[in-house]
PDB file of all heavy atoms in Angstrom:
ATOM      1  N   LEU A   1      70.998 123.791  66.325  1.00  0.00           N
ATOM      2  CA  LEU A   1      72.200 122.973  66.432  1.00  0.00           C
ATOM      3  C   LEU A   1      72.020 121.868  67.563  1.00  0.00           C
ATOM      4  O   LEU A   1      72.671 120.822  67.442  1.00  0.00           O
ATOM      5  CB  LEU A   1      73.439 123.834  66.725  1.00  0.00           C
ATOM      6  CG  LEU A   1      73.839 124.740  65.583  1.00  0.00           C
ATOM      7  CD1 LEU A   1      75.113 125.512  65.901  1.00  0.00           C
ATOM      8  CD2 LEU A   1      74.068 123.908  64.312  1.00  0.00           C
ATOM      9  N   THR A   2      71.191 122.118  68.511  1.00  0.00           N
ATOM     10  CA  THR A   2      70.895 121.111  69.506  1.00  0.00           C
ATOM     11  C   THR A   2      70.113 119.955  68.818  1.00  0.00           C
ATOM     12  O   THR A   2      70.411 118.797  69.031  1.00  0.00           O
ATOM     13  CB  THR A   2      70.041 121.684  70.663  1.00  0.00           C
ATOM     14  OG1 THR A   2      70.815 122.725  71.303  1.00  0.00           O
ATOM     15  CG2 THR A   2      69.721 120.592  71.635  1.00  0.00           C
ATOM     16  N   THR A   3      69.118 120.351  67.959  1.00  0.00           N
ATOM     17  CA  THR A   3      68.404 119.320  67.225  1.00  0.00           C
ATOM     18  C   THR A   3      69.317 118.475  66.312  1.00  0.00           C
ATOM     19  O   THR A   3      69.263 117.262  66.265  1.00  0.00           O
ATOM     20  CB  THR A   3      67.317 120.017  66.350  1.00  0.00           C
ATOM     21  OG1 THR A   3      66.474 120.786  67.219  1.00  0.00           O
ATOM     22  CG2 THR A   3      66.491 118.941  65.611  1.00  0.00           C
ATOM     23  N   PHE A   4      70.253 119.191  65.636  1.00  0.00           N
ATOM     24  CA  PHE A   4      71.176 118.497  64.755  1.00  0.00           C
ATOM     25  C   PHE A   4      72.084 117.571  65.532  1.00  0.00           C
ATOM     26  O   PHE A   4      72.326 116.434  65.170  1.00  0.00           O
ATOM     27  CB  PHE A   4      72.023 119.557  64.037  1.00  0.00           C
ATOM     28  CG  PHE A   4      73.022 118.949  63.049  1.00  0.00           C
ATOM     29  CD1 PHE A   4      72.697 118.707  61.720  1.00  0.00           C
ATOM     30  CD2 PHE A   4      74.268 118.608  63.463  1.00  0.00           C
ATOM     31  CE1 PHE A   4      73.573 118.164  60.822  1.00  0.00           C
ATOM     32  CE2 PHE A   4      75.213 118.059  62.580  1.00  0.00           C
ATOM     33  CZ  PHE A   4      74.838 117.859  61.263  1.00  0.00           C
ATOM     34  N   SER A   5      72.578 118.044  66.720  1.00  0.00           N
ATOM     35  CA  SER A   5      73.497 117.255  67.495  1.00  0.00           C
ATOM     36  C   SER A   5      72.867 115.977  67.973  1.00  0.00           C
ATOM     37  O   SER A   5      73.456 114.867  67.893  1.00  0.00           O
ATOM     38  CB  SER A   5      73.978 118.076  68.712  1.00  0.00           C
ATOM     39  OG  SER A   5      74.822 117.335  69.547  1.00  0.00           O
ATOM     40  N   ILE A   6      71.636 116.055  68.450  1.00  0.00           N
ATOM     41  CA  ILE A   6      70.969 114.873  68.981  1.00  0.00           C
ATOM     42  C   ILE A   6      70.569 113.914  67.844  1.00  0.00           C
ATOM     43  O   ILE A   6      70.717 112.679  67.925  1.00  0.00           O
ATOM     44  CB  ILE A   6      69.729 115.263  69.829  1.00  0.00           C
ATOM     45  CG1 ILE A   6      70.245 116.002  71.077  1.00  0.00           C
ATOM     46  CG2 ILE A   6      68.899 114.058  70.189  1.00  0.00           C
ATOM     47  CD1 ILE A   6      69.034 116.594  71.892  1.00  0.00           C
ATOM     48  N   ALA A   7      70.154 114.503  66.691  1.00  0.00           N
ATOM     49  CA  ALA A   7      69.743 113.685  65.551  1.00  0.00           C
ATOM     50  C   ALA A   7      70.904 112.952  64.944  1.00  0.00           C
ATOM     51  O   ALA A   7      70.730 111.769  64.524  1.00  0.00           O
ATOM     52  CB  ALA A   7      69.023 114.592  64.519  1.00  0.00           C
ATOM     53  N   ASN A   8      72.094 113.571  64.870  1.00  0.00           N
ATOM     54  CA  ASN A   8      73.172 112.849  64.213  1.00  0.00           C
ATOM     55  C   ASN A   8      73.724 111.663  65.036  1.00  0.00           C
ATOM     56  O   ASN A   8      74.498 110.841  64.494  1.00  0.00           O
ATOM     57  CB  ASN A   8      74.309 113.751  63.740  1.00  0.00           C
ATOM     58  CG  ASN A   8      75.144 114.380  64.901  1.00  0.00           C
ATOM     59  OD1 ASN A   8      75.219 113.775  65.949  1.00  0.00           O
ATOM     60  ND2 ASN A   8      75.682 115.492  64.631  1.00  0.00           N
ATOM     61  N   ASP A   9      73.281 111.590  66.295  1.00  0.00           N
ATOM     62  CA  ASP A   9      73.688 110.404  67.074  1.00  0.00           C
ATOM     63  C   ASP A   9      73.016 109.148  66.545  1.00  0.00           C
ATOM     64  O   ASP A   9      73.563 108.038  66.684  1.00  0.00           O
ATOM     65  CB  ASP A   9      73.311 110.595  68.555  1.00  0.00           C
ATOM     66  CG  ASP A   9      74.251 111.584  69.262  1.00  0.00           C
ATOM     67  OD1 ASP A   9      75.364 111.832  68.694  1.00  0.00           O
ATOM     68  OD2 ASP A   9      73.877 112.080  70.280  1.00  0.00           O
ATOM     69  N   VAL A  10      71.834 109.335  65.925  1.00  0.00           N
ATOM     70  CA  VAL A  10      71.094 108.169  65.375  1.00  0.00           C
ATOM     71  C   VAL A  10      71.949 107.396  64.357  1.00  0.00           C
ATOM     72  O   VAL A  10      72.051 106.178  64.364  1.00  0.00           O
ATOM     73  CB  VAL A  10      69.780 108.613  64.745  1.00  0.00           C
ATOM     74  CG1 VAL A  10      69.052 107.463  64.102  1.00  0.00           C
ATOM     75  CG2 VAL A  10      68.881 109.263  65.842  1.00  0.00           C
ATOM     76  N   ALA A  11      72.587 108.126  63.493  1.00  0.00           N
ATOM     77  CA  ALA A  11      73.396 107.498  62.418  1.00  0.00           C
ATOM     78  C   ALA A  11      74.633 106.800  63.031  1.00  0.00           C
ATOM     79  O   ALA A  11      75.073 105.802  62.541  1.00  0.00           O
ATOM     80  CB  ALA A  11      73.856 108.510  61.379  1.00  0.00           C
ATOM     81  N   LYS A  12      75.163 107.418  64.113  1.00  0.00           N
ATOM     82  CA  LYS A  12      76.337 106.818  64.708  1.00  0.00           C
ATOM     83  C   LYS A  12      76.026 105.461  65.336  1.00  0.00           C
ATOM     84  O   LYS A  12      76.916 104.588  65.397  1.00  0.00           O
ATOM     85  CB  LYS A  12      76.907 107.776  65.761  1.00  0.00           C
ATOM     86  CG  LYS A  12      77.352 109.115  65.178  1.00  0.00           C
ATOM     87  CD  LYS A  12      77.776 110.054  66.317  1.00  0.00           C
ATOM     88  CE  LYS A  12      77.961 111.485  65.824  1.00  0.00           C
ATOM     89  NZ  LYS A  12      78.119 112.477  66.871  1.00  0.00           N
ATOM     90  N   TYR A  13      74.767 105.287  65.790  1.00  0.00           N
ATOM     91  CA  TYR A  13      74.423 103.979  66.330  1.00  0.00           C
ATOM     92  C   TYR A  13      74.600 102.910  65.266  1.00  0.00           C
ATOM     93  O   TYR A  13      75.107 101.825  65.533  1.00  0.00           O
ATOM     94  CB  TYR A  13      72.987 103.995  66.794  1.00  0.00           C
ATOM     95  CG  TYR A  13      72.621 104.953  67.863  1.00  0.00           C
ATOM     96  CD1 TYR A  13      71.304 105.490  67.977  1.00  0.00           C
ATOM     97  CD2 TYR A  13      73.566 105.425  68.763  1.00  0.00           C
ATOM     98  CE1 TYR A  13      70.967 106.399  68.940  1.00  0.00           C
ATOM     99  CE2 TYR A  13      73.240 106.339  69.765  1.00  0.00           C
ATOM    100  CZ  TYR A  13      71.926 106.841  69.853  1.00  0.00           C
ATOM    101  OH  TYR A  13      71.588 107.721  70.815  1.00  0.00           O
ATOM    102  N   PHE A  14      74.214 103.249  64.050  1.00  0.00           N
ATOM    103  CA  PHE A  14      74.272 102.281  62.911  1.00  0.00           C
ATOM    104  C   PHE A  14      75.735 102.045  62.468  1.00  0.00           C
ATOM    105  O   PHE A  14      76.027 101.106  61.796  1.00  0.00           O
ATOM    106  CB  PHE A  14      73.426 102.706  61.763  1.00  0.00           C
ATOM    107  CG  PHE A  14      71.942 102.620  61.972  1.00  0.00           C
ATOM    108  CD1 PHE A  14      71.232 103.660  62.477  1.00  0.00           C
ATOM    109  CD2 PHE A  14      71.319 101.417  61.753  1.00  0.00           C
ATOM    110  CE1 PHE A  14      69.879 103.536  62.738  1.00  0.00           C
ATOM    111  CE2 PHE A  14      69.945 101.289  61.976  1.00  0.00           C
ATOM    112  CZ  PHE A  14      69.209 102.374  62.465  1.00  0.00           C
ATOM    113  N   ALA A  15      76.607 102.949  62.847  1.00  0.00           N
ATOM    114  CA  ALA A  15      78.016 102.795  62.500  1.00  0.00           C
ATOM    115  C   ALA A  15      78.777 101.980  63.529  1.00  0.00           C
ATOM    116  O   ALA A  15      79.539 101.040  63.188  1.00  0.00           O
ATOM    117  CB  ALA A  15      78.686 104.141  62.325  1.00  0.00           C
ATOM    118  N   ILE A  16      78.559 102.293  64.809  1.00  0.00           N
ATOM    119  CA  ILE A  16      79.412 101.693  65.866  1.00  0.00           C
ATOM    120  C   ILE A  16      78.824 100.418  66.426  1.00  0.00           C
ATOM    121  O   ILE A  16      79.567  99.407  66.652  1.00  0.00           O
ATOM    122  CB  ILE A  16      79.634 102.739  66.988  1.00  0.00           C
ATOM    123  CG1 ILE A  16      80.499 103.892  66.421  1.00  0.00           C
ATOM    124  CG2 ILE A  16      80.335 102.093  68.200  1.00  0.00           C
ATOM    125  CD1 ILE A  16      80.961 104.873  67.472  1.00  0.00           C
ATOM    126  N   ILE A  17      77.544 100.369  66.797  1.00  0.00           N
ATOM    127  CA  ILE A  17      76.986  99.211  67.424  1.00  0.00           C
ATOM    128  C   ILE A  17      77.191  97.950  66.639  1.00  0.00           C
ATOM    129  O   ILE A  17      77.648  96.914  67.180  1.00  0.00           O
ATOM    130  CB  ILE A  17      75.458  99.399  67.742  1.00  0.00           C
ATOM    131  CG1 ILE A  17      75.275 100.638  68.693  1.00  0.00           C
ATOM    132  CG2 ILE A  17      74.869  98.158  68.400  1.00  0.00           C
ATOM    133  CD1 ILE A  17      75.950 100.444  70.046  1.00  0.00           C
ATOM    134  N   PRO A  18      76.843  97.955  65.321  1.00  0.00           N
ATOM    135  CA  PRO A  18      77.110  96.712  64.514  1.00  0.00           C
ATOM    136  C   PRO A  18      78.605  96.352  64.489  1.00  0.00           C
ATOM    137  O   PRO A  18      78.960  95.191  64.586  1.00  0.00           O
ATOM    138  CB  PRO A  18      76.590  97.047  63.133  1.00  0.00           C
ATOM    139  CG  PRO A  18      75.606  98.118  63.356  1.00  0.00           C
ATOM    140  CD  PRO A  18      76.135  98.924  64.454  1.00  0.00           C
ATOM    141  N   ALA A  19      79.442  97.423  64.415  1.00  0.00           N
ATOM    142  CA  ALA A  19      80.897  97.170  64.332  1.00  0.00           C
ATOM    143  C   ALA A  19      81.420  96.518  65.608  1.00  0.00           C
ATOM    144  O   ALA A  19      82.351  95.712  65.578  1.00  0.00           O
ATOM    145  CB  ALA A  19      81.603  98.461  64.072  1.00  0.00           C
ATOM    146  N   MET A  20      80.801  96.840  66.716  1.00  0.00           N
ATOM    147  CA  MET A  20      81.312  96.328  67.998  1.00  0.00           C
ATOM    148  C   MET A  20      80.920  94.812  68.153  1.00  0.00           C
ATOM    149  O   MET A  20      81.685  94.087  68.816  1.00  0.00           O
ATOM    150  CB  MET A  20      80.721  97.118  69.155  1.00  0.00           C
ATOM    151  CG  MET A  20      81.316  98.583  69.244  1.00  0.00           C
ATOM    152  SD  MET A  20      80.521  99.522  70.563  1.00  0.00           S
ATOM    153  CE  MET A  20      80.940  98.544  71.963  1.00  0.00           C
ATOM    154  N   PHE A  21      79.803  94.423  67.645  1.00  0.00           N
ATOM    155  CA  PHE A  21      79.284  93.096  68.002  1.00  0.00           C
ATOM    156  C   PHE A  21      79.101  92.183  66.820  1.00  0.00           C
ATOM    157  O   PHE A  21      78.625  91.046  66.997  1.00  0.00           O
ATOM    158  CB  PHE A  21      77.960  93.241  68.725  1.00  0.00           C
ATOM    159  CG  PHE A  21      78.097  93.923  70.069  1.00  0.00           C
ATOM    160  CD1 PHE A  21      77.683  95.226  70.213  1.00  0.00           C
ATOM    161  CD2 PHE A  21      78.624  93.250  71.173  1.00  0.00           C
ATOM    162  CE1 PHE A  21      77.800  95.896  71.476  1.00  0.00           C
ATOM    163  CE2 PHE A  21      78.743  93.898  72.378  1.00  0.00           C
ATOM    164  CZ  PHE A  21      78.322  95.196  72.562  1.00  0.00           C
ATOM    165  N   MET A  22      79.475  92.586  65.583  1.00  0.00           N
ATOM    166  CA  MET A  22      79.234  91.731  64.441  1.00  0.00           C
ATOM    167  C   MET A  22      80.049  90.474  64.548  1.00  0.00           C
ATOM    168  O   MET A  22      79.626  89.380  64.064  1.00  0.00           O
ATOM    169  CB  MET A  22      79.600  92.430  63.121  1.00  0.00           C
ATOM    170  CG  MET A  22      78.392  93.283  62.574  1.00  0.00           C
ATOM    171  SD  MET A  22      78.692  93.772  60.874  1.00  0.00           S
ATOM    172  CE  MET A  22      80.169  94.725  60.981  1.00  0.00           C
ATOM    173  N   GLY A  23      81.275  90.582  65.199  1.00  0.00           N
ATOM    174  CA  GLY A  23      82.093  89.385  65.319  1.00  0.00           C
ATOM    175  C   GLY A  23      81.433  88.275  66.188  1.00  0.00           C
ATOM    176  O   GLY A  23      81.612  87.124  65.963  1.00  0.00           O
ATOM    177  N   LEU A  24      80.663  88.725  67.176  1.00  0.00           N
ATOM    178  CA  LEU A  24      79.971  87.828  68.068  1.00  0.00           C
ATOM    179  C   LEU A  24      78.623  87.421  67.560  1.00  0.00           C
ATOM    180  O   LEU A  24      78.179  86.264  67.654  1.00  0.00           O
ATOM    181  CB  LEU A  24      79.922  88.482  69.441  1.00  0.00           C
ATOM    182  CG  LEU A  24      79.289  87.552  70.571  1.00  0.00           C
ATOM    183  CD1 LEU A  24      80.125  86.335  70.775  1.00  0.00           C
ATOM    184  CD2 LEU A  24      79.118  88.387  71.826  1.00  0.00           C
ATOM    185  N   PHE A  25      77.907  88.438  66.968  1.00  0.00           N
ATOM    186  CA  PHE A  25      76.544  88.186  66.521  1.00  0.00           C
ATOM    187  C   PHE A  25      76.520  88.576  64.998  1.00  0.00           C
ATOM    188  O   PHE A  25      76.158  89.734  64.733  1.00  0.00           O
ATOM    189  CB  PHE A  25      75.544  89.014  67.306  1.00  0.00           C
ATOM    190  CG  PHE A  25      75.543  88.761  68.776  1.00  0.00           C
ATOM    191  CD1 PHE A  25      76.092  89.694  69.630  1.00  0.00           C
ATOM    192  CD2 PHE A  25      75.078  87.553  69.286  1.00  0.00           C
ATOM    193  CE1 PHE A  25      76.096  89.472  71.035  1.00  0.00           C
ATOM    194  CE2 PHE A  25      75.101  87.336  70.651  1.00  0.00           C
ATOM    195  CZ  PHE A  25      75.616  88.306  71.516  1.00  0.00           C
ATOM    196  N   PRO A  26      76.805  87.688  64.111  1.00  0.00           N
ATOM    197  CA  PRO A  26      76.815  87.969  62.682  1.00  0.00           C
ATOM    198  C   PRO A  26      75.485  88.544  62.197  1.00  0.00           C
ATOM    199  O   PRO A  26      75.443  89.297  61.227  1.00  0.00           O
ATOM    200  CB  PRO A  26      77.089  86.609  62.053  1.00  0.00           C
ATOM    201  CG  PRO A  26      77.811  85.880  63.107  1.00  0.00           C
ATOM    202  CD  PRO A  26      77.209  86.261  64.396  1.00  0.00           C
ATOM    203  N   GLY A  27      74.405  88.254  62.886  1.00  0.00           N
ATOM    204  CA  GLY A  27      73.127  88.740  62.451  1.00  0.00           C
ATOM    205  C   GLY A  27      73.012  90.248  62.490  1.00  0.00           C
ATOM    206  O   GLY A  27      72.178  90.885  61.820  1.00  0.00           O
ATOM    207  N   LEU A  28      73.905  90.925  63.278  1.00  0.00           N
ATOM    208  CA  LEU A  28      73.885  92.386  63.386  1.00  0.00           C
ATOM    209  C   LEU A  28      74.390  93.002  62.109  1.00  0.00           C
ATOM    210  O   LEU A  28      74.272  94.282  61.977  1.00  0.00           O
ATOM    211  CB  LEU A  28      74.756  92.821  64.581  1.00  0.00           C
ATOM    212  CG  LEU A  28      74.188  92.594  65.994  1.00  0.00           C
ATOM    213  CD1 LEU A  28      75.181  93.024  67.027  1.00  0.00           C
ATOM    214  CD2 LEU A  28      72.843  93.349  66.136  1.00  0.00           C
ATOM    215  N   ALA A  29      74.960  92.211  61.221  1.00  0.00           N
ATOM    216  CA  ALA A  29      75.445  92.816  59.939  1.00  0.00           C
ATOM    217  C   ALA A  29      74.328  93.467  59.193  1.00  0.00           C
ATOM    218  O   ALA A  29      74.547  94.371  58.372  1.00  0.00           O
ATOM    219  CB  ALA A  29      76.091  91.738  59.088  1.00  0.00           C
ATOM    220  N   VAL A  30      73.092  93.041  59.419  1.00  0.00           N
ATOM    221  CA  VAL A  30      71.955  93.644  58.692  1.00  0.00           C
ATOM    222  C   VAL A  30      71.766  95.110  59.125  1.00  0.00           C
ATOM    223  O   VAL A  30      71.192  95.891  58.339  1.00  0.00           O
ATOM    224  CB  VAL A  30      70.650  92.834  59.044  1.00  0.00           C
ATOM    225  CG1 VAL A  30      70.383  92.746  60.449  1.00  0.00           C
ATOM    226  CG2 VAL A  30      69.497  93.411  58.237  1.00  0.00           C
ATOM    227  N   LEU A  31      72.247  95.495  60.295  1.00  0.00           N
ATOM    228  CA  LEU A  31      72.216  96.893  60.692  1.00  0.00           C
ATOM    229  C   LEU A  31      73.287  97.733  60.108  1.00  0.00           C
ATOM    230  O   LEU A  31      73.272  98.969  60.202  1.00  0.00           O
ATOM    231  CB  LEU A  31      72.285  96.967  62.247  1.00  0.00           C
ATOM    232  CG  LEU A  31      71.134  96.353  62.988  1.00  0.00           C
ATOM    233  CD1 LEU A  31      71.343  96.528  64.520  1.00  0.00           C
ATOM    234  CD2 LEU A  31      69.799  96.994  62.642  1.00  0.00           C
ATOM    235  N   ASN A  32      74.287  97.103  59.479  1.00  0.00           N
ATOM    236  CA  ASN A  32      75.383  97.828  58.831  1.00  0.00           C
ATOM    237  C   ASN A  32      74.915  98.342  57.448  1.00  0.00           C
ATOM    238  O   ASN A  32      75.411  97.993  56.420  1.00  0.00           O
ATOM    239  CB  ASN A  32      76.597  96.934  58.662  1.00  0.00           C
ATOM    240  CG  ASN A  32      77.811  97.685  58.141  1.00  0.00           C
ATOM    241  OD1 ASN A  32      77.864  98.890  58.181  1.00  0.00           O
ATOM    242  ND2 ASN A  32      78.748  96.944  57.537  1.00  0.00           N
ATOM    243  N   ILE A  33      73.840  99.226  57.514  1.00  0.00           N
ATOM    244  CA  ILE A  33      73.244  99.689  56.305  1.00  0.00           C
ATOM    245  C   ILE A  33      74.124 100.629  55.504  1.00  0.00           C
ATOM    246  O   ILE A  33      73.883 100.845  54.316  1.00  0.00           O
ATOM    247  CB  ILE A  33      71.882 100.393  56.588  1.00  0.00           C
ATOM    248  CG1 ILE A  33      72.113 101.595  57.533  1.00  0.00           C
ATOM    249  CG2 ILE A  33      70.891  99.415  57.209  1.00  0.00           C
ATOM    250  CD1 ILE A  33      70.851 102.343  57.874  1.00  0.00           C
ATOM    251  N   MET A  34      75.198 101.162  56.142  1.00  0.00           N
ATOM    252  CA  MET A  34      76.121 101.994  55.387  1.00  0.00           C
ATOM    253  C   MET A  34      77.161 101.161  54.628  1.00  0.00           C
ATOM    254  O   MET A  34      77.881 101.677  53.819  1.00  0.00           O
ATOM    255  CB  MET A  34      76.815 102.941  56.376  1.00  0.00           C
ATOM    256  CG  MET A  34      75.972 104.104  56.852  1.00  0.00           C
ATOM    257  SD  MET A  34      76.859 105.232  57.866  1.00  0.00           S
ATOM    258  CE  MET A  34      76.576 104.553  59.444  1.00  0.00           C
ATOM    259  N   GLY A  35      77.176  99.839  54.927  1.00  0.00           N
ATOM    260  CA  GLY A  35      78.149  99.007  54.261  1.00  0.00           C
ATOM    261  C   GLY A  35      79.600  99.384  54.586  1.00  0.00           C
ATOM    262  O   GLY A  35      80.431  99.406  53.693  1.00  0.00           O
ATOM    263  N   LEU A  36      79.858  99.654  55.866  1.00  0.00           N
ATOM    264  CA  LEU A  36      81.176 100.033  56.256  1.00  0.00           C
ATOM    265  C   LEU A  36      82.145  98.913  56.129  1.00  0.00           C
ATOM    266  O   LEU A  36      81.808  97.758  56.272  1.00  0.00           O
ATOM    267  CB  LEU A  36      81.140 100.566  57.708  1.00  0.00           C
ATOM    268  CG  LEU A  36      80.158 101.787  57.904  1.00  0.00           C
ATOM    269  CD1 LEU A  36      80.222 102.198  59.360  1.00  0.00           C
ATOM    270  CD2 LEU A  36      80.560 102.974  57.004  1.00  0.00           C
TER     271      LEU A  36
END
């Protein structure tokens, strides 16, 4: 469960980081691979 906990943070980066800065840096949309 420690392995799972640390690993699932990777996916959250792709959810939150693009969402926070896409308005300022449209190029970050390419990281929105989930198409949120």
Side-chain angles (χ1 to χ4, degrees):
L1 292 184
T2 300
T3 303
F4 181 90
S5 178
I6 294 174
N8 69 25
D9 286 342
V10 174
K12 297 173 193 172
Y13 300 153
F14 288 93
I16 292 187
I17 300 297
M20 290 176 61
F21 295 103
M22 274 193 303
L24 183 63
F25 304 108
L28 288 177
V30 58
L31 296 179
N32 185 19
I33 59 177
M34 286 183 268
L36 301 179

